[in-house]
Amino acid sequence: MTPPDRAARPVALRHPTPSDGAAVWALVKACGSLDVNTPYAYLMACHNFADTCLVAEDGTDLAGMVLAYRQPSAPSTLFVWQVGVAPSHRGQGLAARMLDHLVTRITPAVSHVEATINPSNVPSQNLFRALACRFDAPLTEYTWLSADAFPDSHEAEDMFRVGPFQKKD
Ligand SMILES: CC(C)(COP(=O)(O)OP(=O)(O)OC[C@H]1O[C@@H](n2cnc3c(N)ncnc32)[C@H](O)[C@@H]1OP(=O)(O)O)[C@@H](O)C(=O)NCCC(=O)NCCS
């Protein structure tokens, strides 16, 4: 039997399990411009924050992921720690689809999404600007951490806060 055409297979979204931790770490490394944290950090995210994280699967390969958690002091705010899409799957709306899924599907619903982004990361900035546009939600951008807050040569991190999202009837 001929295997299904790779391009014709839908990329499936699901919440991660701890067994995804190693593959998420490998995907973060493959993404190129993300900080690569320890494998432990990704195992912990997949374990402790699975309800607010997503992985995108193309067959048995991870094509993308969003690692996010509810702000402890404001649980309706979803803080997106890292979002990444494999180079082979970029420009096809996958990151937007994952963010939309989290905004529309997790319960209790989130009112805001926050992410911090380097000033040089235009694709990521546009990703969150586009999220605000799709939901017709306000977007606030401000400097969150300057470069000198970091002990290494890390860039500054600017806050992108989207919301509140309109409540559905
Ligand atoms: C940023 C990233 C997640 C986008 O993933 P993607 O699946 O290609 O993005 P999408 O196709 O869903 O695009 C959604 C929006 O993002 C913006 N965008 C995506 N790629 C872009 C690019 N190369 N240049 C400019 N804007 C871009 C666009 O506004 C786009 O909306 P549009 O198609 O309606 O114009 C991906 O490029 C990536 O993994 N980069 C490396 C990791 C990273 O920097 N993550 C963010 C920091 S945490």
Side-chain angles (χ1 to χ4, degrees):
M1 198 164 98
T2 313
D5 174 19
R6 181 188 166 89
R9 268 199 320 253
V11 175
L13 305 188
R14 65 172 172 79
H15 294 284
T17 67
S19 63
D20 292 308
V24 168
W25 175 75
L27 176 61
V28 168
K29 281 207 296 182
C31 278
S33 53
L34 290 175
D35 282 349
V36 182
N37 297 280
T38 62
Y40 178 87
Y42 297 102
L43 284 158
M44 187 179 62
C46 292
H47 193 285
N48 290 353
F49 303 118
D51 291 351
T52 49
C53 294
L54 274 187
V55 290
E57 249 179 351
D58 186 0
T60 55
D61 297 333
L62 278 198
M65 53 78 198
V66 180
L67 303 175
Y69 60 86
R70 291 177 186 275
Q71 289 277 20
S73 59
S76 70
T77 295
L78 185 73
F79 184 84
V80 175
W81 174 42
Q82 290 191 311
V83 49
V85 168
S88 56
H89 286 73
R90 287 185 191 160
Q92 299 164 35
L94 182 54
R97 194 178 142 211
M98 292 190 289
L99 292 178
D100 289 2
H101 184 103
L102 290 171
V103 169
T104 59
R105 303 278 284 274
I106 61 172
T107 54
V110 296
S111 63
H112 294 79
V113 167
E114 290 183 345
T116 74
I117 305 171
N118 303 147
S120 66
N121 194 340
V122 173
S124 186
Q125 293 162 13
N126 286 347
L127 173 65
F128 286 90
R129 289 178 184 135
L131 173 72
C133 281
R134 283 194 305 283
F135 285 88
D136 198 18
L139 167 69
T140 314
E141 301 180 22
Y142 56 93
T143 302
W144 188 60
L145 289 174
S146 59
D148 61 14
F150 292 92
D152 54 8
S153 58
H154 200 289
E155 265 190 86
E157 291 279 348
D158 295 335
M159 176 66 77
F160 282 63
R161 178 172 163 86
V162 182
F165 298 104
Q166 303 283 346
K167 283 209 172 79
K168 278 179 272 161
D169 296 328

